[in-house]
């Protein structure tokens, strides 16, 4: 039972794990690196295996950092089946079409810049893929995975279970003649969100587990709501804008649902809410479609014909031109826009027009890679460069980790509490965070190892001394950066 990780190994983004089980090769997730140029240039690396030789691909969920390089895999020769749950297939279509559009737009912009600098067109890297590649990819999706039902994938028994992270998200029980393995995908935060809690897993021999938040505990939900409400009231008092950079899937719906609840309860004033993210609007439609999957209060509201994601003051902003017009809008208002780490998208022009004003509140509800624009703001930068201009950071910056869609340390330990005595392999975390989690696992009698990048490991083998591969230098775990979502 061997595994090589080509993403989300010693980092939080780009999930891609190659399992070799007997003579079968199965790729679990095929994600994009997100969160600043240094990480994102890894998307251009060639695959360190022949895509045509894979027997199958399984997707745990539809976040871009778990599906974003799938069209590239297809472009480079993969033509087999891609297994996932039906909601994951639906969301993957939205996510991948948006990704292709951004790729092509980014390429055209880089080309214009390069030409003005007198460079040759060939110096600009082409888009990773285009819309035609997405359609070829979507044709390979087999949305046959159902929670609790065993499916045979390339001759291997695979049982998906509810992971509680986003709509359709699964963790996988993989049974081979060598042993039983759990691949966690991303696990949900049991205290917040719209998803039912993850299903307690069975006893296994090895676990590959995400560790985004493995060194911390989320604030209780009541405190999170209090902090969020206070930031909203403060903006109304100072007549300022409230900017919420938001990922389109799950976080946007959680924020809309929370805003509606707070407004209906009279906890916060009914100020305008602008949803400035066409992708979030499309993703919300899938939450309607698969409403039976959601927590009872949301499911029942949907069955009763209500829209739990629509505060009475909601305005959907379809076009970029309308988005630009918001810059002239006077008075307090909530603007939700992508992308979540502020490295691109409509949030950038809102930041440019509002970040320098002390009356603005910037509410950060998701993971910010330290190298991203969001990461720099959270770390206390006094000025940041946005769309070619230096902008002073005078806004009040709130980081509210309780909205995270990711498990915290307590959730991760609860997940592992029913798995017996497996060998635990840590992925999808910053190295410093994982290094703090290894001794916590040891305290529970579990052998934990940091999964190395690219290196082949025997998941049932002895692992590493002190939980880390030889020669690994461990940086201190960052504590001052809002964390939640690996990339998306
Ligand atoms: Zn995720």
């Amino acid at each position: 039972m061997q595994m090589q990780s080509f993403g989300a190994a010693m980092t939080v983004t780009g999930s891609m794990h190659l399992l070799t089980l007997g003579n079968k090769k199965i790729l679990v997730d095929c994600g994009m690196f997100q969160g600043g140029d240094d990480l994102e240039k890894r998307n251009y690396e060639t695959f360190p295996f022949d895509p045509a030789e894979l027997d199958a691909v399984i997707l745990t969920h539809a976040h871009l950092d778990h599906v974003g390089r799938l069209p590239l895999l297809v472009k480079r020769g993969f033509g087999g089946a891609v297994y996932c749950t039906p909601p994951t297939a639906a969301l993957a279509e939205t996510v991948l079409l948006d990704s292709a559009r951004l790729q092509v737009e980014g390429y055209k912009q880089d080309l214009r810049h390069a030409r003005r600098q007198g460079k040759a067109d060939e110096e600009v890297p082409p888009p990773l893929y285009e819309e035609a590649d997405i359609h070829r990819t979507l044709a390979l999706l087999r949305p046959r995975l159902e929670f609790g039902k065993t499916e045979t994938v390339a001759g291997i028994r695979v049982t998906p279970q509810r992971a509680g992270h986003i709509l359709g998200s699964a963790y996988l029980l993989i049974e081979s003649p060598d042993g039983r393995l759990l691949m966690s995908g991303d696990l949900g935060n049991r205290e917040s969100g719209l998803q039912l809690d993850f299903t307690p897993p069975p006893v296994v021999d090895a676990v590959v587990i995400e560790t985004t938040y493995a060194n911390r505990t989320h604030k209780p939900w009541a405190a999170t709501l209090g902090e969020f409400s206070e930031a909203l009231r403060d903006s109304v008092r100072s007549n300022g804008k409230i900017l919420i950079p938001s990922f389109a899937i799950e976080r946007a719906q959680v924020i809309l649902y929370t805003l509606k609840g707070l407004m209906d309860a009279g906890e916060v004033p009914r100020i305008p809410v602008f949803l400035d993210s066409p992708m979030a609007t499309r993703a919300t439609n899938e939450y309607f479609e698969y409403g039976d999957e959601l927590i009872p209060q949301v499911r029942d509201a949907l069955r009763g014909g209500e829209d739990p994601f629509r505060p009475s003051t909601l305005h959907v902003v379809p076009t970029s031109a309308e988005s630009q017009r918001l810059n002239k809008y006077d008075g307090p208002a909530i603007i939700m826009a992508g992308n979540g780490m502020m490295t691109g998208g409509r949030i950038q022009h809102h930041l440019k027009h509002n970040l320098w004003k002390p009356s603005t509140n910037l509410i950060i509800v998701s993971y910010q890679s330290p190298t991203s624009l969001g990461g720099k703001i959270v770390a206390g930068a006094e000025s940041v460069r946005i769309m070619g201009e230096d902008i002073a950071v005078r806004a009040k910056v709130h980081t509210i980790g309780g909205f995270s869609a990711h498990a915290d340390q307590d959730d991760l330990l609860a997940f592992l509490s029913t798995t017996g005595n497996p060998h635990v392999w840590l992925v999808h975390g910053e190295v410093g965070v994982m290094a703090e989690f290894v001794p916590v696992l040891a305290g529970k009698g579990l052998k934990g190892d940091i999964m190395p990048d690219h290196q082949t490991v025997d998941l049932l083998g002895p692992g590493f001394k002190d939980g880390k591969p030889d020669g690994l230098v461990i940086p201190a775990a960052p504590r001052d950066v809002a964390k939640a979502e690996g990339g998306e």
Side-chain angles (χ1 to χ4, degrees):
M1 189 174 271
Q2 291 184 328
M3 186 169 99
Q4 278 175 288
S5 295
F6 304 115
M10 307 200 289
T11 181
V12 185
T13 185
S15 281
M16 191 193 296
H17 308 289
L18 178 62
L19 291 172
T20 304
L21 306 166
N23 61 355
K24 299 293 183 193
K25 288 189 185 300
I26 297 178
L27 194 68
V28 176
D29 290 336
C30 192
M32 189 174 265
F33 288 95
Q34 292 176 284
D37 291 347
D38 280 353
L39 284 166
E40 287 166 19
K41 71 182 178 205
R42 290 192 60 184
N43 292 319
Y44 290 88
E45 290 173 0
T46 50
F47 291 104
F49 53 86
D50 179 359
E53 285 180 2
L54 294 176
D55 292 287
V57 175
I58 308 176
L59 304 177
T60 61
H61 65 290
H63 271 149
L64 190 66
D65 67 316
H66 292 256
V67 302
R69 276 189 290 169
L70 190 59
L72 195 59
L73 192 79
V74 173
K75 208 171 151 179
R76 303 258 166 89
F78 177 71
V82 179
Y83 293 83
C84 60
T85 63
T88 293
L91 290 170
E93 178 172 350
T94 298
V95 168
L96 293 177
L97 284 170
D98 186 72
S99 177
R101 183 183 59 78
L102 289 176
Q103 288 285 326
V104 173
E105 281 177 11
Y107 173 68
K108 285 180 184 161
Q109 191 182 48
D110 291 348
L111 209 54
R112 281 196 299 274
H113 291 174
R115 284 174 181 165
R116 287 203 286 267
Q117 289 167 12
K119 290 182 184 165
D121 288 0
E122 293 72 43
E123 290 181 58
V124 180
L128 288 172
Y129 45 76
E130 301 176 36
E131 193 176 322
D133 300 304
I134 307 304
H135 296 298
R136 288 170 58 213
T137 303
L138 296 174
L140 300 178
L141 295 185
R142 300 286 177 270
R144 294 220 297 261
L145 297 188
E146 280 178 40
F147 296 138
K149 195 171 142 255
T150 301
E151 182 78 33
T152 305
V153 174
I156 307 284
R157 284 166 57 83
V158 176
T159 311
Q161 294 286 5
R162 193 181 292 284
H165 169 61
I166 68 165
L167 186 65
S169 62
Y171 69 84
L172 309 170
L173 168 65
I174 297 174
E175 296 170 275
S176 85
D178 294 341
R180 286 155 61 86
L181 165 68
L182 282 179
M183 299 285 293
S184 79
D186 288 354
L187 293 170
N189 173 354
R190 292 177 300 165
E191 257 229 75
S192 78
L194 304 168
Q195 305 303 316
L196 299 172
D197 290 349
F198 53 72
T199 305
V203 171
V204 290
D205 303 301
V207 180
V208 175
I209 195 166
E210 69 116 328
T211 53
T212 316
Y213 271 119
N215 69 336
R216 60 167 68 190
T217 307
H218 297 314
K219 247 186 206 159
W221 183 239
T224 298
L225 273 188
E227 199 178 343
F228 187 54
S229 307
E230 183 45 38
L232 298 181
R233 288 191 290 263
D234 181 73
S235 282
V236 175
R237 282 194 292 270
S238 55
N239 205 35
K241 294 265 173 38
I242 299 152
L243 303 184
I244 309 181
S246 178
F247 294 113
I249 301 176
E250 191 75 13
R251 205 63 41 82
Q253 293 77 27
V254 169
I255 298 291
L256 289 171
Y257 174 69
T258 305
L259 280 171
K260 177 173 163 52
L262 290 172
M263 285 182 179
D264 289 354
E267 291 286 322
V268 300
R270 289 190 185 274
I271 57 173
V273 179
F274 293 98
L275 179 60
D276 190 11
S277 165
M279 190 174 155
T281 306
R282 281 194 296 278
T284 305
N285 292 336
E286 303 303 341
Y287 278 68
F288 276 92
E289 182 71 27
Y290 295 98
D292 283 350
E293 294 285 310
L294 306 174
I295 52 174
Q297 54 271 46
V298 177
R299 181 194 64 203
D300 294 345
L302 285 167
R303 282 181 185 166
E306 273 179 60
D307 183 345
F309 309 119
R310 182 169 283 272
S312 60
T313 53
L314 181 70
H315 303 270
V316 172
V317 184
T319 65
S320 309
E322 285 163 273
S323 174
Q324 302 280 351
R325 276 207 287 281
L326 287 178
N327 297 326
K328 297 206 172 71
Y329 181 90
D330 246 353
I334 298 166
I335 300 174
M336 297 168 59
N339 65 32
M341 286 197 266
M342 308 176 228
T343 53
R346 294 184 185 178
I347 193 67
Q348 287 218 320
H349 76 83
H350 296 303
L351 289 166
K352 181 173 148 183
H353 287 273
N354 295 289
L355 198 58
W356 53 275
K357 297 174 186 166
S359 62
T360 300
N361 278 277
L362 174 64
I363 303 188
I364 293 175
V365 294
S366 54
Y367 176 81
Q368 306 297 318
S369 149
T371 53
S372 65
L373 176 58
K376 288 172 192 158
I377 294 172
V378 173
E382 289 179 5
S383 167
V384 287
R385 199 155 180 86
I386 302 174
M387 302 169 82
E389 264 187 64
D390 291 323
I391 309 290
V393 183
R394 300 256 165 75
K396 291 184 211 69
V397 180
H398 311 260
T399 58
I400 306 187
F403 279 112
S404 172
H406 275 276
D408 66 4
Q409 188 180 86
D410 293 343
D411 294 321
L412 295 174
L413 292 175
F415 182 81
L416 291 168
S417 68
T418 57
T419 57
N421 188 27
H423 194 152
V424 183
W425 294 88
L426 314 185
V427 297
H428 202 288
E430 287 166 32
V431 173
V433 172
M434 293 191 282
E436 285 186 34
F437 196 44
V438 169
V440 175
L441 290 173
K444 303 280 175 190
L446 291 170
K447 164 87 172 135
D449 276 306
I450 296 173
M451 183 69 199
D453 197 15
H454 280 62
Q455 195 176 317
T456 303
V457 300
D458 177 359
L459 295 175
L460 303 175
F464 306 117
K465 190 172 169 290
D466 304 326
K468 63 181 178 68
D470 276 349
L472 177 63
V473 179
I474 296 182
R479 295 198 164 273
D480 54 347
V481 175
K483 304 157 97 50
E485 194 78 341
E488 166 80 30

